[in-house]
Amino acid sequence: MTADFGIKIEGVSHAYGGGQSGLASGTLALKQTDLLIGHHEFHALLGPSGCGKSTLLYLIGGFIPVQTGSISTQKGPVTAPGPDRSIVFQNFALFPWKTVLENVMYGLQKKGLPEAECREIAQAHIKLVQLGGFEQAYPSQLSGGMQQRAAIARTLAVDPDILLMDEPFGALDAQTRRVMQEELRMIWKKRPKTVVFVTHDVHEAVFLADRISIMSARPGRIEHQIDTGLGPERDESTLTDRRFVELGEQIWRLVREQAVLASRGGL
Amino acid sequence: MSTLSALLKREGLMQALVLAGLALVWEASSRAGWVHPFLLPPLSDVLVRLFTDMQSGAVFVDLGLTLYRALTGFVIAAVLAVPLGILMARKRGVQWFFDPLISIGFPMPKIAFVPIFILWFDIYDTSKVIMITFSCFFPIVTATYSGTSHIDKWPLWSARSLGASENQLLREIILPLAAPSILTGLQIALPVGMITTIVTEMLMGGSGVGGAMIAAGRFADSVGVFAGIMEIAILGMVVIRALDRLRARLLVWHPENRAH
Ligand SMILES: Nc1ncnc2c1ncn2[C@@H]1O[C@H](COP(=O)(O)OP(=O)(O)O)[C@@H](O)[C@H]1O
Ligand SMILES: [Mg+2]
C-alpha cells in the first residue's frame, strides 16, 4: 500500500444549524480548511477555544457529514464512523452501565476476538492507564481524571489505524498528564498510527507531535503548520532541549495571536 | 453511615407503629360500637376470614387469577410499547404516525372502552387482558419514547467508532441508556394495570379478587368485601415492591443506587 498520506482534508467548510449548503445562516465553524496529515504522523492541533477543532475531529471520525469539500484516508473518502478511526472524546463518553473492564472490552468484542483475549487485552490497557484495581467500577464511581483514562484505554485497546484525541488529558492532574504523555508517545512508537491530537496546551503539543497545526479564530482554518523536528525519542530531556523551549515560545505567540483575534471577534 | 441505618430502622419501626395504631383504631371503633359492624366489620373478623379462606385455598385461586390477568396484560403492553417507543424516538416516520394517536389515547379514560371490548370479545379473560394491556400501554410507550429521545449522542458515537453497527446500537447502547426511563414507565403502568384488573373483574364478573368482592357485596357479606380489600392491598404492595427490586438490580450502575 502506498503510504503517502494518513488523512487528506480538502476545502472543508462546516456550518452548524444553518442550511445544507454549509454557508447559510448558522454558525460557520470551519471555512475552507485544507490539511494533509502524513501516514503514521503524530499531528497536534492547536487553536483558540471555539475555532472548530472538535468539529474537524468529528468530521474525520465521520460522526457528522461532510458538507463542503472532502476528507479521505487510506481507506477512501470518509462517510461514516468506523473502527479504523477511533476517538477519545473531550467528555469521555463512557458507557455508564458497563464497568471499566466491560467498557474497554466493548471494541475488542466488536472485532470478534475470543472473550479470553478481549479480557486480556483490556486488562493490559487498564494497567497501562494506571486504573488497575478499578476494573469492576462503574464510570459514575470514578473521578473525572479516572474516567478520562478509562476512555483512553478503551480507544487504545482497539488499536485503530487513525487515533483521534480531543483534549484527552484535559481532566488529568499535571503529574498523571506527564506520565500519560510519555505513555502515549511510547505506544505510538510501538504501534505506529496516524494521530490527530487536539489540545490547548502548547507544551503538550510540542512534546508529543511531529507536526503542529495552528488554527485561526472561528471560522477555523489551518493558519500555520510547523514541524517540531524533535526526533522520535521524547522523554525528560526533551523538556530542556533548546529547540523544545524555542518552539514552545514561537508557537505560543502564534496561538495567542489567534486567541486575541477570537476575543476581538466579539463572542 | 451507622447512624443513618439506625435512623432508617427507627423510621421503619415508626411506620409499623403507625399502621398498628390505625389497625387498633379500626378494631376498637367497631368493637365499641362507634360504627355499625356491618359498615365496618372488626379487623379481627376480616383477618379470621382471610385465614379461613387461605386454609380452604379460595384466596389463592382469586389472587392467582387476578395476578395472572394483571401480569399478562402488563407484559403484553411492555412487549408492544417498549419497541414502539424506541422506534418512535429513532424513526421520524413512526413518530409522525403514532404521536397524535398516543396524544389522544393517553388521557382517555380507558374504562370507557369496557362495553366495546365486551361487545367485540367476551366477558372472560380475553377482554379483561386486552383492557389491562390497553391501559398499561400508554404510560410505557410515552416514558420509553421520551427517555430514548433524550439520549446523549456521545455514547452512540463512541460505540460506532468502536465498531458497532447501526443495528447493534439499538440493543447494546440505546436500550440500556433508556432503561431508567423505561423502568419508570413500567412502574407507573403496573399500578394502573392492577387497578384496571380489579375494576374489569368487578364489571365483568368471573373469579378473581374483584369478582369475589362483588359477589360478597351481593350477599351483603361485608367481611368478605373488606377481606377483598386487604387482598388487593397486599397483592399490590408485593407486586410493586418486586418491580422496585428489579429496577435496583437492573440499574446497579446508576448513581440513583448509590446512597452515598
Ligand atoms: N452542535 C452545535 N450546534 C451549533 N453550534 C455548534 C455546535 N457544535 C459546535 N458549535 C459551534 O461551532 C464552533 C466550533 O466548535 P468546536 O468545534 O467545538 O470548537 P473547539 O473544539 O475548537 O473549541 C463554536 O463556535 C461552537 O459554538
Ligand atoms: Mg472542543
Side-chain angles (χ1 to χ4, degrees):
Chain A
M1 197 188 287
T2 52
D4 55 342
F5 74 93
I7 305 165
K8 194 190 288 177
I9 299 164
E10 288 174 313
V12 166
S13 301
H14 195 88
Y16 282 108
Q20 304 86 329
S21 70
L23 294 168
S25 56
T27 307
L28 192 58
L30 293 173
K31 188 179 178 189
Q32 289 291 325
T33 304
D34 294 300
L35 179 61
L36 189 65
I37 296 173
H39 184 62
H40 290 177
E41 172 180 311
F42 200 126
H43 196 99
L45 208 52
L46 279 167
S49 175
C51 73
K53 303 183 294 294
S54 296
T55 304
L56 191 55
L57 277 198
Y58 300 160
L59 286 164
I60 300 170
F63 304 112
I64 50 182
V66 176
Q67 295 168 343
T68 340
S70 74
I71 298 181
S72 43
T73 68
Q74 294 274 316
K75 291 215 157 80
V78 169
T79 52
D84 55 318
R85 286 157 284 126
S86 278
I87 186 162
V88 178
F89 288 111
Q90 211 167 345
N91 59 2
F92 331 136
L94 290 165
F95 305 131
W97 68 97
K98 287 181 186 286
T99 61
V100 168
L101 182 65
E102 289 166 345
N103 262 283
V104 181
M105 283 173 69
Y106 186 77
L108 298 163
Q109 287 161 336
K110 291 293 118 191
K111 280 185 165 183
L113 297 180
E115 196 72 5
E117 200 179 335
C118 291
R119 190 173 289 270
E120 198 178 309
I121 298 176
Q123 228 125 30
H125 282 87
I126 290 169
K127 290 246 164 57
L128 184 76
V129 297
Q130 301 175 328
L131 275 182
F134 289 93
E135 287 86 353
Q136 300 309 326
Y138 289 101
S140 61
Q141 295 171 308
L142 303 179
S143 72
M146 291 161 91
Q147 289 185 38
Q148 193 154 44
R149 280 180 277 151
I152 292 166
R154 183 176 65 177
T155 302
L156 289 178
V158 300
D159 194 18
D161 302 338
I162 294 177
L163 178 57
L164 308 171
M165 304 184 95
D166 198 353
E167 306 193 17
F169 302 152
L172 304 184
D173 58 276
Q175 213 62 39
T176 319
R177 178 183 271 244
R178 177 100 291 151
V179 175
M180 292 300 299
Q181 286 167 357
E182 283 173 23
E183 286 294 347
L184 178 62
R185 183 73 197 187
M186 219 131 80
I187 290 166
W188 173 83
K189 264 188 67 192
K190 250 193 292 186
R191 298 194 304 236
K193 48 179 102 279
T194 308
V195 180
V196 187
F197 188 101
V198 170
T199 177
H200 55 250
D201 179 339
V202 170
H203 286 106
E204 180 169 81
V206 178
F207 180 79
L208 283 170
D210 300 316
R211 265 154 75 78
I212 297 175
S213 290
I214 297 160
M215 289 180 73
S216 69
R218 198 186 59 152
R221 214 166 352 93
I222 305 300
E223 199 69 32
H224 308 279
Q225 283 196 53
I226 292 158
D227 271 304
T228 57
L230 285 169
E233 299 296 336
R234 309 287 165 97
D235 50 33
E236 283 301 307
S237 67
T238 312
L239 301 175
T240 49
D241 192 315
R242 247 193 58 188
R243 175 144 179 88
F244 177 84
V245 177
E246 280 173 11
L247 264 178
E249 272 166 27
Q250 180 197 347
I251 291 172
W252 201 79
R253 271 195 303 276
L254 295 172
V255 171
R256 207 180 60 154
E257 242 168 55
Q258 295 306 323
V260 169
L261 283 178
S263 62
R264 286 225 192 95
L267 284 167
Chain B
M1 191 43 230
S2 64
T3 50
L4 182 69
S5 68
L7 204 71
L8 283 178
K9 252 187 213 140
R10 166 125 40 103
E11 199 175 333
L13 189 69
M14 294 297 281
Q15 287 172 331
L17 280 178
V18 169
L19 282 180
L22 285 175
L24 261 175
V25 172
W26 176 356
E27 181 71 21
S29 52
S30 45
R31 289 273 174 228
W34 300 333
V35 284
H36 195 284
F38 180 75
L39 300 181
L40 183 68
L43 175 61
S44 52
D45 288 1
V46 175
L47 292 177
V48 167
R49 171 68 67 87
L50 266 181
F51 188 70
T52 51
D53 283 355
M54 266 158 72
Q55 277 181 322
S56 73
V59 171
F60 300 111
V61 173
D62 286 333
L63 279 177
L65 265 173
T66 299
L67 189 63
Y68 152 74
R69 289 169 185 146
L71 290 186
T72 308
F74 175 74
V75 168
I76 295 175
V79 166
L80 296 174
V82 170
L84 180 63
I86 292 176
L87 275 178
M88 281 175 65
R90 301 291 297 173
K91 305 258 181 267
R92 261 198 83 70
V94 180
Q95 194 264 351
W96 175 87
F97 185 82
F98 282 100
D99 196 44
L101 294 178
I102 287 167
S103 305
I104 296 170
F106 199 4
M108 195 105 83
K110 308 299 173 297
I111 217 68
F113 287 80
V114 166
I116 299 173
F117 286 159
I118 292 178
L119 214 62
W120 286 356
F121 306 102
D122 52 33
I123 56 166
Y124 305 106
D125 279 357
T126 315
S127 51
K128 286 180 191 134
V129 169
I130 288 176
M131 264 306 297
I132 297 157
T133 300
F134 190 42
S135 56
C136 289
F137 177 82
F138 293 96
I140 303 176
V141 78
T142 311
T144 306
Y145 169 58
S146 138
T148 311
S149 29
H150 289 111
I151 285 177
D152 262 353
K153 65 185 179 215
W154 305 108
L156 301 178
W157 284 11
S158 280
R160 291 286 273 130
S161 98
L162 290 167
S165 70
E166 197 65 48
N167 286 329
Q168 286 169 332
L169 281 191
L170 215 60
R171 244 200 30 203
E172 295 173 6
I173 311 296
I174 293 171
L175 196 60
L177 279 175
S181 306
I182 295 174
L183 282 164
T184 301
L186 295 177
Q187 284 172 307
I188 295 168
L190 188 58
V192 171
M194 298 294 295
I195 294 166
T196 311
T197 310
I198 303 292
V199 172
T200 48
E201 283 176 349
M202 286 178 158
L203 289 172
M204 298 185 200
S207 307
V209 180
M213 279 176 70
I214 288 293
R218 284 214 184 100
F219 289 103
D221 172 14
S222 71
V223 175
V225 173
F226 277 90
I229 288 177
M230 296 281 277
E231 288 167 29
I232 293 170
I234 293 166
L235 183 65
M237 196 181 77
V238 167
V239 175
I240 285 163
R241 284 276 163 92
L243 191 55
D244 287 348
R245 286 275 169 83
L246 182 70
R247 181 188 184 100
R249 281 193 63 159
L250 287 176
L251 302 186
V252 277
W253 54 273
H254 203 276
E256 76 179 26
N257 288 310
R258 227 156 288 125
H260 42 87

